[in-house]
Amino acid sequence: MADRKILTTPRGVAKFYHLVKPSTKFDPEGVYTVSLLLEGQEAADLIEIIDQAIEDNLTEIRKDPKYAKAKKIKENDPPYKDDTDKEGNETGKTLFNFKQ
C-alpha cells in the first residue's frame, strides 16, 4: 500500500457530523463521521488529491499477483458528490464524506 499522508482540508461547512459521539446506526462500535461542504477551487483541489490517491492505490493493487488475472477491479464511489438542497436542486457546492 502507498504511504499514508496527513491532509488538512480547507475550512468548510459541516453538514452532517458525529464528532463528539460516534454514530452507531450501521456499526454497533460507532463511527465518527463528518460531511464537509466546499466550493470553488478549494473543492476542485481536494477532488484532484482524492482522485490521485484512488488511482495510486489502484495501481498498487494491480501489481499484487493475486489480482493480476482480474479483468476488472470493483471500485467504490468516490467520497464526494455534488450537494443538493431539499428539492433536489444542485447548490454548486461539493459534499465530502469522511469517517474514522
Side-chain angles (χ1 to χ4, degrees):
M1 249 326 131
D3 293 331
R4 291 182 182 225
K5 295 179 184 177
I6 295 175
L7 174 70
T8 302
T9 64
R11 190 175 289 203
V13 176
K15 189 168 182 179
F16 305 107
Y17 52 90
H18 290 276
L19 299 173
V20 177
K21 182 178 175 188
S23 170
T24 55
K25 186 173 183 178
F26 300 108
D27 185 345
E29 293 182 25
V31 178
Y32 292 96
T33 63
V34 64
S35 294
L36 182 69
L37 278 174
L38 295 174
E39 60 184 318
Q41 191 59 44
E42 291 177 330
D45 291 345
L46 188 54
I47 288 171
E48 185 177 330
I49 291 168
I50 290 170
D51 287 346
Q52 185 61 52
I54 290 170
E55 188 57 40
D56 291 347
N57 283 324
L58 283 173
T59 301
E60 286 293 317
I61 290 169
R62 288 183 185 111
K63 290 178 184 177
D64 190 327
K66 67 181 177 182
Y67 296 109
K69 294 183 181 181
K71 291 181 181 177
K72 181 163 172 106
I73 296 173
K74 184 177 180 333
E75 297 179 39
N76 290 334
D77 292 332
Y80 58 84
K81 64 181 180 179
D82 292 333
D83 185 47
T84 56
D85 60 16
K86 291 179 182 179
E87 290 79 37
N89 302 317
E90 290 187 6
T91 63
K93 299 178 181 179
T94 304
L95 187 66
F96 294 88
N97 296 307
F98 302 98
K99 70 179 181 177
Q100 180 177 6

